[in-house]
Amino acid sequence: MESTEASVTFQLGWPQMHHLFALLCLVAVVKLTMLIAERRDAFRNFEAFPGPPAHWLFGHVKEFKQDGTDFEKIVKWGQKYPYAFPMWFGPFVCFINIHHPDYVKTILTSTEPKDDLSYKFIESWIGEGLLVSKGQKWFRHRRLLTPGFHYDVLKPYVKLVSDSAKTMLDKWESYANTNESFELFNHVSLMTLDSILKCAFSDNSNCQTEGGTNAYIKAVYELSDLINLRFRTFPYHNDLIFYLSPHGFRHRKACKVACSHTEEVIRKRKEALKKEKELDRIQAKRNLDFLDILLLARDEKQQGLSNEDIRAEVDTFMFEGHDTTASGISFILYALACHPEHQKICREEIIQALDGKDTMDWEDLSKIPYTTMCIKESLRLYPPVPGMSRKITKPMTFFDGRTLPKGSHVGISVYGIHRNAAVWENPNVFDPLRFLPENVSTRSPHAFVPFSAGPRNCIGQTFAMNELKVATALTLKRYQLIEDPAHKPMLIPRLVLRSVNGIHIKIQPVDPQE
């Protein structure tokens, strides 16, 4: 009897399975046909933009070895194909990579949104914060968050950053006079995380002194690597394939760690606000910070941000406010270690500006112009965010008459622009005098874009520059930085600029008689 029932079930079920299989095959064929049509259109649309030969299946992905040579290849291609060239990621995804200020001006002065491919992969982590949101949502959030970056809000942060920097420099005592190099990036990441938690969230985390590997920073590293891998691996562009993969599992696990970290920060603040309901009391107790402004922000209809929006902005600012500045500071210190003649001038300027103090105040930030030029030159050579991208919503014509159609993906190579020999004389040479006012005035403002430009420029760039100045000044006042020729950074593109082998320097205490 059971055998008969099973036979009937099989006979009834098989045609249904057969039809389902046929339907799936049909969907796959339709999807493939659409992708092939898109590829054909892309070739037609980008005919005016010659570029390096691409593999029919992998595109240019196999050209990038992740071994420290990838940026050199981008610069080399830029010399061969001026202004812009196509880059293929797999058989169907193509970005026009631009690397000249005149092209950059056209795209960055527009209000075109971030592209819906690479930034979509970040969205699963940080949500629709300022970095990835678009349209009216982006405009509303930008307007509501701008008061959080007023100089009155930023002023007290200088002292807090100084305290975090001093904690890091105290830890470095163990490396002084050993003549052994050490890796910077992890130390600086902890310091910038400590700073952002203190400044933006009034949270004294003690993350620099608690010992062990910080779970949040480890998760950010993991997510940066996985998002980069997903972008370069065409099948991973499909959400289901990535979800079912081992890399997708690691991504979800790291997201959980990162998001629980920010949720805890928000939870603690909401508890504090319940106790201190009146804004005046909060201000009397401490300075208003970024999280206060997020929680208390209201538009003209007296509507605030939703819980989801608040979490997205906190995640965005937590990541962008610590990882990008960690990259910037690490490479600044490395660059100054490699150029002792410039380091010496900076140190003399800093000692004079601080006049015996071991901390920095708001007023001191404007007293170190040569150090500021060195910081900018390092940001030119080692931009913390080495690339950006947009998806254009209407046809776009550039100054030389070439046009991109609606829907095109545009990649902006910040590294390529900053190393473009047609824009910068001897682009690989460290020369802070490029940023003398008279030299800046002769260049396109879009030749130097470490914080992007136009309406979607970095909202936190003043905070970031202040932190770079404080960390650099206090480090140079206390230590002499020495290059380790055996450990030269091998640059790799991630969400922020990193080195595959770390960033190493040696240090010695500064001679008080120097």
Side-chain angles (χ1 to χ4, degrees):
M1 181 68 179
E2 288 181 5
S3 176
T4 306
E5 286 179 359
S7 175
V8 170
T9 302
F10 175 80
Q11 290 172 0
L12 290 172
W14 170 246
Q16 293 173 349
M17 292 295 292
H18 182 72
H19 290 146
L20 179 62
F21 180 71
L23 180 63
L24 289 173
C25 287
L26 179 62
V27 170
V29 169
V30 170
K31 179 67 174 173
L32 184 62
T33 304
M34 289 171 63
L35 288 171
I36 291 170
E38 286 178 19
R39 178 179 170 87
R40 186 189 62 233
D41 290 343
F43 273 114
R44 189 187 307 121
N45 293 335
F46 302 151
E47 275 180 344
F49 296 90
H55 187 277
W56 70 272
L57 179 61
F58 300 112
H60 294 105
V61 170
K62 290 282 189 180
E63 296 279 349
F64 300 111
K65 311 295 185 186
Q66 306 290 303
D67 61 356
T69 63
D70 294 350
F71 284 114
E72 293 171 23
K73 187 157 286 182
I74 292 288
V75 171
K76 192 175 177 182
W77 285 347
Q79 291 168 348
K80 189 171 182 181
Y81 306 103
Y83 302 112
F85 57 86
M87 282 175 58
W88 287 84
F89 296 87
F92 306 116
V93 177
C94 184
F95 278 72
I96 288 293
N97 185 75
I98 63 177
H99 52 90
H100 191 280
D102 293 339
Y103 263 54
V104 173
K105 178 182 178 181
T106 304
I107 191 82
L108 290 187
T109 54
S110 74
T111 55
E112 296 295 6
K114 303 291 179 75
D115 86 87
D116 56 2
L117 181 63
S118 50
Y119 287 94
K120 180 185 77 172
F121 302 152
I122 304 173
E123 199 175 309
S124 59
W125 164 23
I126 61 174
E128 283 193 78
L130 274 183
L131 180 65
V132 298
S133 59
K134 56 189 175 185
Q136 282 303 309
K137 181 170 186 175
W138 170 82
F139 182 78
R140 178 175 180 261
H141 284 212
R142 178 86 181 202
R143 192 158 44 84
L144 289 175
L145 268 56
T146 295
F149 300 91
H150 189 274
Y151 74 91
D152 281 338
V153 175
L154 297 178
K155 265 186 181 180
Y157 293 172
V158 175
K159 174 71 168 61
L160 297 174
V161 173
S162 290
D163 291 343
S164 294
K166 283 191 286 184
T167 300
M168 177 184 75
L169 298 174
D170 287 343
K171 290 168 63 182
W172 287 7
E173 286 284 355
S174 60
Y175 301 110
N177 288 322
T178 64
N179 202 36
E180 291 181 9
S181 65
F182 66 100
E183 203 285 315
L184 278 177
F185 203 105
N186 190 51
H187 286 273
V188 178
S189 285
L190 282 170
M191 188 276 287
T192 56
L193 179 61
D194 190 26
S195 291
I196 202 69
L197 286 169
K198 283 178 182 171
C199 297
F201 308 108
S202 299
D203 182 6
N204 292 305
S205 67
N206 300 316
C207 64
Q208 292 196 78
T209 54
E210 64 187 7
T213 304
N214 182 277
Y216 175 74
I217 287 178
K218 190 177 177 184
V220 169
Y221 272 55
E222 178 98 349
L223 287 164
S224 296
D225 288 343
L226 289 169
I227 289 166
N228 179 266
L229 174 71
R230 187 178 183 188
F231 184 71
R232 292 184 294 109
T233 308
F234 170 66
Y236 280 177
H237 291 186
N238 180 279
D239 289 339
L240 181 61
I241 292 174
F242 184 69
Y243 184 90
L244 295 174
S245 73
H247 293 114
F249 173 77
R250 283 169 52 196
H251 182 272
R252 292 192 296 280
K253 189 176 176 183
C255 270
K256 190 174 180 181
V257 172
C259 293
S260 65
H261 180 269
T262 52
E263 282 169 0
E264 178 63 12
V265 169
I266 295 169
R267 186 195 65 76
K268 286 199 294 188
R269 176 55 52 81
K270 283 186 172 179
E271 287 296 318
L273 285 178
K274 281 179 186 175
K275 297 171 187 173
E276 295 284 345
K277 288 187 177 178
E278 295 176 29
L279 186 57
D280 291 342
R281 289 184 188 175
I282 299 168
Q283 286 179 298
K285 190 174 179 181
R286 55 173 168 74
N287 293 293
L288 266 183
D289 63 22
F290 177 71
L291 187 50
D292 287 325
I293 288 162
L294 271 179
L295 292 168
L296 300 168
R298 296 290 182 271
D299 59 21
E300 59 277 1
K301 296 179 182 176
Q302 292 304 302
Q303 295 295 309
L305 296 170
S306 68
N307 288 337
E308 184 183 351
D309 288 340
I310 290 169
R311 192 182 73 77
E313 297 301 354
V314 170
D315 273 323
T316 299
F317 200 62
M318 190 82 75
F319 158 63
E320 290 221 75
H322 106 267
D323 213 30
T324 53
T325 49
S327 177
I329 291 166
S330 299
F331 281 109
I332 288 163
L333 299 182
Y334 169 76
L336 289 170
C338 295
H339 298 91
E341 69 282 12
H342 296 296
Q343 183 186 155
K344 186 173 186 293
I345 297 170
C346 291
R347 182 175 293 108
E348 290 169 353
E349 176 183 70
I350 290 159
I351 289 171
Q352 184 176 354
L354 296 185
D355 194 24
K357 295 185 299 182
D358 65 350
T359 190
M360 280 196 90
D361 297 315
W362 175 267
E363 294 74 22
D364 300 323
L365 296 173
S366 60
K367 297 177 183 176
I368 50 171
Y370 195 85
T371 306
T372 302
M373 290 194 296
C374 286
I375 289 170
K376 289 181 178 179
E377 178 65 347
S378 179
L379 292 176
R380 182 186 71 82
L381 288 168
Y382 306 105
V385 180
M388 306 171 277
S389 53
R390 300 283 189 272
K391 183 177 181 179
I392 59 176
T393 58
K394 53 186 177 293
M396 181 171 284
T397 301
F398 296 98
F399 79 100
D400 58 359
R402 292 190 289 185
T403 298
L404 285 176
K406 172 185 175 180
S408 297
H409 293 281
V410 181
I412 301 153
S413 175
V414 178
Y415 189 95
I417 297 158
H418 288 184
R419 301 265 186 155
N420 191 330
V423 179
W424 304 91
E425 188 177 349
N426 299 321
N428 296 321
V429 173
F430 185 87
D431 179 11
L433 298 184
R434 300 179 199 273
F435 291 94
L436 284 169
E438 56 268 32
N439 293 333
V440 172
S441 65
T442 63
R443 273 195 312 269
S444 164
H446 293 89
F448 178 65
V449 286
F451 300 106
S452 189
R456 291 201 71 132
N457 68 346
C458 174
I459 193 172
Q461 62 182 289
T462 302
F463 170 81
M465 274 302 292
N466 291 349
E467 186 168 14
L468 300 183
K469 289 180 184 181
V470 170
T472 303
L474 295 183
T475 302
L476 292 186
K477 183 177 185 294
R478 189 158 169 180
Y479 295 114
Q480 183 180 345
L481 312 179
I482 303 161
E483 180 187 9
D484 179 4
H487 291 90
K488 289 190 176 292
M490 298 164 63
L491 307 182
I492 51 172
R494 290 293 183 266
L495 296 179
V496 304
L497 185 69
R498 295 193 189 280
S499 166
V500 72
N501 60 333
I503 305 169
H504 294 76
I505 62 168
K506 302 175 184 180
I507 59 171
Q508 289 180 353
V510 168
D511 183 352
Q513 305 302 317
E514 193 179 65

